[in-house]
Amino acid sequence: MSRQLSVIGTGVIGNGWIARALAQGWDVVAFDPAPEAAERTRDFVANAWPSLEALGLAEGAAPTRLTFVDSLEEAVAGADLVQENVPERLELKCEILAAIDAAAAPGVIVGSSTSGFKPSDLQRDCAWVPGRVIVAHPFNPVYLLPLVELVGGEATEPHQIELAQALYQELAMRPLVVRREIEGHIADRLMEALWREALHLVNDGVATTEEVDAAVVYGCGLRWALMGTFLTFHLAGGDQGMRHMLEQFGPALKLPWTKLEAPELTEELIDKVVEGCEYQAAGRPVAELDRRRDDFLVEVLGLVKKYWPEAEGLEGRI
């Protein structure tokens, strides 16, 4: 039996969900009132498809299984899973999610791609089955990166999270159930800390955007791709592991090495960041950079699977 993903909002993230679902052999029904949304989505899927083919397509997978409709109600009819991806404005999300809740069958999970809002806030105007409205936060490019953070709200029941886990696993995602609600969830809070520190380094003239990126690409980023933060530091402790690492390097946490508050986004800082990124892009269009990134990620994902095969079974432990 084929599955249907209903996608509301087809920006970069919505289109990423569409490409992933199509590659997994799902039918996709999308709604977006923006002019030329359907054309942009089909161009997006065409650009992503070579990478998805390299990873391996599910039986029956095809871009032709995408349908655009003229209303939200049409989009969610017959859905096995609904994914909301409208702009990150709380009032707008609440309005759209309430409409989805009113239109979708009661057993259908409604995932919001929000990167920051709490699910209880998103559920507030849902009058029918508010508990099925959860955070399902992916990472760009959604069609390649497997992590999805699942967060239930005050009205969410355990069986709804369990159903969500199963559905996102069918989309070849790696669900991480966040234990409690918090703004920004887990991964974005980690990335935000690095982003703020990077802005300070550029603002203070310590490094250019290219030099900051090089520090990640050729240093910590390579380790993080396989082991993450904690296990990387566990190895830094030698044979005694994390305990020795904390004993030896723990006191450094008291030193003023980092600045968690973001610097003011002055015109000077904005110009530094923009000019640095344009220099790094070297005139290459975003679509070309997307393809380069995607080719790289396909190979990295293969390496992660090769050297960390246990990752295939992590869902049940998270």
Side-chain angles (χ1 to χ4, degrees), residues 2 70 97 100 102 144 153 165-166 225 250 254 260 296 299 301 306:
S2 63
D70 296 327
L97 288 167
I100 294 172
L144 293 182
Q165 281 183 282
K254 298 293 185 180
L260 288 182
F296 173 80
E299 294 190 44
L301 287 167
K306 176 180 178 181

Side-chain angles (χ1 to χ4, degrees), residues 65-113:
R65 296 180 69 170
L66 167 64
T67 302
F68 265 79
V69 293
D70 296 327
S71 71
L72 180 150
E73 290 75 17
E74 286 180 88
V76 303
D80 292 290
L81 176 65
V82 178
Q83 193 72 31
E84 169 273 310
N85 316 278
V86 302
E88 198 78 350
R89 300 197 300 272
L90 183 59
E91 294 304 319
L92 175 61
K93 282 190 176 289
C94 287
E95 177 186 347
I96 297 300
L97 288 167
I100 294 172
D101 179 51
V108 175
I109 296 296
V110 179
S112 172
S113 295

Side-chain angles (χ1 to χ4, degrees), residues 50-70:
S51 295
L52 292 166
E53 287 179 317
L55 282 178
L57 301 175
E59 184 178 354
T64 53
R65 296 180 69 170
L66 167 64
T67 302
F68 265 79
V69 293
D70 296 327

